Amino acid sequence: DSGVTQTPKHLITATGQRVTLRCSPRSGDLSVYWYQQSLDQGLQFLIQYYNGEERAKGNILERFSAQQFPDLHSELNLSSLELGDSALYFCASSYSPREDEQFFGPGTRLTVL
Amino acid sequence: AQKVTQAQTEISVVEKEDVTLDCVYETRDTTYYLFWYKQPPSGELVFLIRRNSFDEQNEISGRYSWNFQKSTSSFNFTITASQVVDSAVYFCALSETNAGKSTFGDGTTLTVKP
C-alpha cells in the first residue's frame, strides 16, 4: 500500500459526459502528479501540482483540468468525454516537486461508452 | 524534445536466468532524471529507481542493478536470478530538471517462466 488513495476505482460513463477523479496523496507529500495510461498512447504525464500550484504540464487536453486543494488532495476533471479517453488514470505523490521517489495510487479505470 | 526508447517489447526467460532490459533516451538537457517503474499484472505502478544525470555510478539493490552510461544515452536494468514474481511490464522514464514532466518509454513486458 503506497498510501496514495484514488477514487473511484472504476468509472463507466457515456460520451459527452463529465467526470471527476479524486486523489489523496501520502501524508506529508506536497506534490501530486496525474498520469494517463491507455493502449493507444501508453503512459503519459498529464500535470503536476505542488502545494496547490500548478508545477508542470504535460500532454493534457484542454477538455481536462485539475486542481490541488488546500488539504493537498487533487481532482482531475475530464469533460466532453470521448471514447479515446478510456484509460487508467494514475495519481502519484512525492514530498518535493523535483520528482523524488513517487508513490502511485491504484488508479481509476475510466470506460467511456 | 525528449524521447525514451525501450526496444524490447517482450522478453521471456526461465526462472533463475539473468535478464537485461534496455533503455535509450534522448534529451537536450544537461541535467535530467531517469527512472524505472514496474507494473505487475495487478496493475499498480511501483517506483524502482531514480538517477540524476550527474551520477553515473551503477546501482545495485538486491537482485536489481542499473547501468547508466551517458556516453551511449542508456540506462539499462538487469535482474539477476529472475523469479516468477518479476513478471511485469517495466517502464523507463526521463524527466526534465526542476519539473515533474516525465516522458515514458513504451514498456517492456517481462515474463519469467518457472
Side-chain angles (χ1 to χ4, degrees), chain B residues 7-75:
Chain B
Q8 305 149 308
T9 305
E10 295 182 12
I11 300 177
S12 181
V13 299
V14 176
E15 212 170 16
K16 297 185 185 176
E17 284 185 22
D18 298 347
V19 57
T20 296
L21 282 59
D22 297 333
C23 173
V24 174
Y25 62 91
E26 295 176 27
T27 180
R28 293 180 190 168
D29 293 333
T30 55
T31 304
Y32 49 88
Y33 295 93
L34 294 163
F35 302 79
W36 277 95
Y37 299 88
K38 174 182 180 180
Q39 189 173 36
S42 52
E44 76 273 22
L45 274 169
V46 178
F47 168 94
L48 295 177
I49 190 172
R50 180 187 79 151
R51 171 69 72 217
N52 75 53
S53 53
F54 294 111
D55 183 1
E56 287 194 70
Q57 278 195 337
N58 291 334
E59 179 151 344
I60 298 174
S61 176
R63 296 184 297 106
Y64 294 171
S65 62
W66 290 269
N67 180 260
F68 175 30
Q69 291 196 333
K70 235 172 165 176
S71 59
T72 56
S73 297
S74 65
F75 187 44

Side-chain angles (χ1 to χ4, degrees), chain A residues 37 48 90 98-99 101 104, chain B residues 39 47 50 95 98 100 102:
Chain A
Q37 186 176 29
Q48 178 199 9
F90 287 105
R98 296 190 180 193
E99 281 204 75
E101 178 175 355
F104 284 82
Chain B
Q39 189 173 36
F47 168 94
R50 180 187 79 151
S95 175
N98 295 331
S102 294

Side-chain angles (χ1 to χ4, degrees), chain A residues 33-107:
Chain A
Y33 312 77
W34 285 98
Y35 297 88
Q36 179 196 59
Q37 186 176 29
S38 65
L39 287 174
D40 289 345
Q41 302 197 353
L43 253 176
Q44 290 195 96
F45 165 78
L46 295 179
I47 197 163
Q48 178 199 9
Y49 281 85
Y50 176 71
N51 208 18
E53 300 289 326
E54 183 182 303
R55 180 81 180 188
K57 214 166 188 177
N59 300 320
I60 188 166
L61 300 172
E62 284 190 12
R63 300 183 286 109
F64 297 179
S65 65
Q67 59 185 125
Q68 186 179 27
F69 294 86
D71 67 352
L72 301 177
H73 91 271
S74 178
E75 293 181 357
L76 178 67
N77 300 297
L78 315 176
S79 61
S80 302
L81 285 168
E82 302 175 358
L83 296 177
D85 298 327
S86 295
L88 191 52
Y89 291 85
F90 287 105
C91 167
S93 73
S94 67
Y95 174 71
S96 87
R98 296 190 180 193
E99 281 204 75
D100 285 352
E101 178 175 355
Q102 289 184 43
F103 296 85
F104 284 82

Side-chain angles (χ1 to χ4, degrees), chain A residues 17-28:
Chain A
Q17 295 298 305
R18 172 189 169 95
V19 297
T20 297
L21 312 183
R22 182 187 168 103
C23 169
S24 293
R26 284 191 327 155
S27 177

Side-chain angles (χ1 to χ4, degrees), chain B residues 70-83:
Chain B
K70 235 172 165 176
S71 59
T72 56
S73 297
S74 65
F75 187 44
N76 297 336
F77 172 34
T78 297
I79 302 174
T80 303
S82 60
Q83 300 175 1

